[in-house]
Amino acid sequence: MTVNLVAMDESTFAEYYRQSLKEYAYEHVKAGNWKEDEAVQNAQAEFEQLLPDGLKTKGHVLLSVMHGRETIGILWLNIRIRNQEKQAFIYDVKLDEEQRGKGLGTRTMEALDEYAKSVGVKQIRLHVFGHNHRAKSLYEKTGYEVTDYHMQKRLL
């Protein structure tokens, strides 16, 4: 069975937004970017800046990942003109925990490629936290290449 991408509805968006604030805050704490006591507030400020009009925010596309009739995840893209070509930036791609390890991540990325081509996108970019080895492996397997590194050293 294939994976399809469909426009996210308001109820799915509300649940995604609520859940993702906490997850995004946690990822920044884990990466050493934010202190725990300020992380949720920082995450909320970033989300409000990026999606001031929710699902209707210009340039942002939020999609539900469907496997048959079941919603199994989400995909959030920002589509813009950069360097004189249409590009997409993946802000988030996430499959439900119980759907992982079944090859559906690869199918989702393939569905993204087809979607991007259908809307004239020439390049897809993304950010992945250094500690997210599973995601890095998926992206490399589906043709993404490292374009730069951010590194840090914590002094005690």
Side-chain angles (χ1 to χ4, degrees):
M1 196 175 290
T2 61
V3 168
N4 296 307
L5 304 175
V6 300
M8 187 181 288
D9 63 36
E10 286 290 342
S11 65
T12 303
F13 176 72
E15 177 59 23
Y16 164 71
Y17 192 92
R18 184 191 63 74
Q19 192 174 43
S20 290
L21 280 177
K22 294 175 191 168
E23 291 171 1
Y24 185 63
Y26 170 76
E27 291 294 331
H28 273 285
V29 170
K30 188 173 179 181
N33 301 329
W34 295 341
K35 293 180 181 179
E36 193 169 347
D37 63 341
E38 64 188 24
V40 172
Q41 183 177 346
N42 289 349
Q44 187 166 8
E46 282 195 21
F47 271 51
E48 287 173 2
Q49 180 182 0
L50 291 169
L51 295 171
D53 299 318
L55 284 176
K56 296 178 177 93
T57 302
K58 185 178 178 179
H60 289 263
V61 179
L62 288 110
L63 302 163
S64 291
V65 179
M66 307 294 293
H67 186 238
R69 294 182 179 184
E70 182 182 3
T71 302
I72 62 166
I74 64 87
L75 178 62
W76 171 12
L77 303 172
N78 176 237
I79 298 176
R80 61 184 179 246
I81 303 297
R82 184 174 172 184
N83 298 329
Q84 301 173 347
E85 71 178 5
K86 199 172 199 181
Q87 296 184 5
F89 183 86
I90 301 171
Y91 272 99
D92 200 3
V93 59
K94 181 176 0 187
L95 295 183
D96 297 341
E97 190 65 39
E98 64 272 10
Q99 302 299 334
R100 297 177 187 175
K102 299 178 181 179
L104 297 172
T106 300
R107 289 185 188 164
T108 299
M109 299 308 286
E110 291 167 353
L112 168 57
D113 290 350
E114 292 306 312
Y115 173 83
K117 289 176 191 175
S118 78
V119 297
V121 167
K122 302 296 183 195
Q123 183 180 79
I124 304 171
R125 301 174 61 88
L126 59 85
H127 166 268
V128 62
F129 286 104
H131 60 265
N132 194 340
H133 302 291
R134 184 180 217 165
K136 287 191 297 187
S137 176
L138 170 65
Y139 301 141
E140 289 169 354
K141 185 167 86 172
T142 56
Y144 289 78
E145 299 173 348
V146 175
T147 58
D148 56 28
Y149 288 101
H150 293 267
M151 300 177 80
Q152 72 180 21
K153 177 179 179 181
R154 182 158 309 277
L155 301 175
L156 303 174

